[in-house]
Amino acid sequence: MRRRHYHLLPIVIIISVCSFACKQEAQEPTKPIIPTSGDGASYIEYLKGNMPLILTVSHGGSEKPEWIKNRVCQDAVNVQDEFTLELAKEIVDALAENGTYKPFVILNKLHRSKVDLNRNRLDGTCGDPHSQKAYDAFHGFIQEAKTRIAQQFSKGILIDIHGHGHEVQRIELGYLLYEEELRVNDDALNQAPLLSYSSIQHIAQNNLKKLTHAELVRGPSAFGTLLQNQGFNSVPSKDIPYPQIDEPYFSGGYITATYGSYSGGTMDAIQMECNREQVRDSVASRKAFAKAFVASILEYLQTNYFEEIPQSKD
Ligand SMILES: [Zn+2]
């Protein structure tokens, strides 16, 4: 595994839970280590869906309860992705207008200074037990949604929604491929090692039209191209196949790596970094982008995953 920053270490979680539980047992009951002034998990919202789509928003929250320590470990980045919670809710509403589709949605209302859910548990919580409760609830719900989708529909996709502050106003789609890896030719994108790094490698090898990985990343049916067709510039896409050398770009993080097919299985994942102008900056922008997103994701699922997008009864 060559990715340097995902740190997919479930063993760390187990050890850390155990050591906390063990410490707790060793304390006198009248002197708990942790102040019981709130429940970190109560800041996580889960909407159960009925279709093979998961939306996650980890950095959009603004709540800063004092009883959760501020994160200062591992050069913690604490910038909030403004209006991404609101954007996700607009997407839910726009999907409902397309019939009765409901995505699985996992939202975090805590500010990033309290928990970073797009990092491994240790770095994301800096060891704070309240922060850990939020972390475990958020990731537990994603896992539950992923399991339900696997059982009901056999495959699906997770879109991890973020907001970037880069100068170039366009959507950045992260498939766990660094910018220099996107600048290679299509043949290289379609083979190991790059194919084996991809967060959509399952559908790249099992799609309805037998499209290649490169076609799914930047061909006519790529998610970025479908967004571009709806009027929202996106990279990678047919028109913008890769970022230029001097252009900053987010290639995807912990959630995309953990729940997408980079880690095996039949769930793919894309990190969607939204620019501010015309996408997040007003209610009208968010409604317009949500409508474009829904048209694009439904077409993407219908073209590549399912002849007809399935829906469960509950
Ligand atoms: Zn973010």
Side-chain angles (χ1 to χ4, degrees):
M1 193 175 295
R2 60 111 202 202
R3 313 314 271 183
R4 60 178 178 265
H5 55 278
Y6 309 140
H7 307 302
L8 308 178
L9 297 170
I11 192 75
V12 172
I13 297 176
I14 294 159
I15 291 166
S16 138
V17 167
C18 176
S19 75
F20 166 52
C22 295
K23 270 186 212 160
Q24 222 183 11
E25 278 166 24
Q27 293 298 310
E28 290 173 28
T30 50
K31 289 182 183 175
I33 304 177
I34 305 157
T36 52
S37 47
D39 180 4
S42 68
Y43 292 86
I44 306 301
E45 198 177 317
Y46 175 50
L47 307 175
K48 207 174 105 190
N50 64 8
M51 67 182 296
L53 171 66
I54 303 175
L55 304 176
T56 53
V57 182
S58 51
H59 294 159
S62 53
E63 303 279 342
K64 297 177 180 174
E66 284 178 5
W67 42 270
I68 302 182
K69 281 200 202 87
N70 287 332
R71 294 172 57 246
V72 290
C73 66
Q74 301 288 339
D75 298 324
V77 175
N78 291 331
V79 182
Q80 181 190 2
D81 294 354
E82 288 181 322
F83 304 117
T84 48
L85 287 175
E86 293 84 346
L87 180 59
K89 288 182 176 169
E90 290 293 351
I91 291 172
V92 171
D93 290 348
L95 262 168
E97 284 169 17
N98 271 267
T100 50
Y101 285 124
K102 287 192 288 184
F104 291 81
V105 184
I106 300 100
L107 306 172
N108 166 38
K109 291 184 269 187
L110 284 173
H111 191 267
R112 198 172 175 187
S113 57
K114 301 297 181 180
V115 67
D116 190 335
L117 299 156
N118 200 22
R119 298 281 186 278
N120 69 55
R121 191 172 186 264
L122 201 58
D123 294 349
T125 66
C126 295
D128 182 90
H130 296 300
S131 181
Q132 286 169 348
K133 277 197 165 184
Y135 189 98
D136 293 346
F138 185 87
H139 285 278
F141 286 136
I142 301 179
Q143 193 54 58
E144 185 189 312
K146 184 175 169 173
T147 302
R148 276 181 187 275
I149 286 174
Q151 287 167 348
Q152 294 175 334
F153 313 116
S154 79
K155 59 191 167 186
I157 190 158
L158 180 151
I159 305 289
D160 185 32
I161 301 172
H162 292 262
H164 73 74
H166 297 157
E167 199 178 324
V168 182
Q169 296 297 301
R170 63 187 178 195
I171 308 292
E172 298 176 10
L173 299 172
Y175 298 93
L176 306 178
L177 298 167
Y178 298 140
E179 45 271 51
E180 64 272 18
E181 293 169 340
L182 287 171
R183 286 195 283 269
V184 300
N185 64 29
D186 285 358
D187 277 351
L189 264 191
N190 290 334
Q191 295 169 26
L194 295 188
L195 179 59
S196 70
Y197 301 152
S198 172
S199 60
I200 59 161
Q201 60 190 268
H202 174 259
I203 202 64
Q205 295 169 99
N206 301 276
N207 63 80
L208 294 178
K209 292 188 174 169
K210 303 200 181 324
L211 299 178
T212 63
H213 180 229
E215 286 172 317
L216 284 167
V217 168
R218 58 193 181 198
S221 299
F223 187 57
T225 306
L226 300 179
L227 283 174
Q228 188 100 14
N229 293 345
Q230 294 286 329
F232 290 88
N233 284 348
S234 303
V235 65
S237 65
K238 193 163 175 286
D239 289 351
I240 316 171
Y242 45 79
Q244 296 299 319
I245 285 172
D246 55 350
E247 292 174 339
Y249 163 77
F250 285 118
S251 59
Y254 180 83
I255 291 172
T256 304
T258 304
Y259 301 104
S261 53
Y262 166 70
S263 292
T266 59
M267 171 71 66
D268 299 296
I270 305 174
Q271 180 166 309
M272 182 173 76
E273 288 276 353
C274 299
N275 54 290
R276 180 177 279 268
E277 289 172 22
Q278 308 290 315
V279 176
R280 289 185 282 142
D281 57 358
S282 70
V283 175
S285 296
R286 294 191 289 273
K287 280 189 190 300
F289 179 71
K291 211 172 157 199
F293 173 88
V294 165
S296 304
I297 198 70
L298 291 179
E299 188 176 345
Y300 189 73
L301 285 170
Q302 189 111 23
T303 306
N304 303 313
Y305 286 72
F306 305 97
E307 302 282 356
E308 191 173 332
I309 302 169
Q311 213 174 326
S312 64
K313 299 240 171 350
D314 37 89

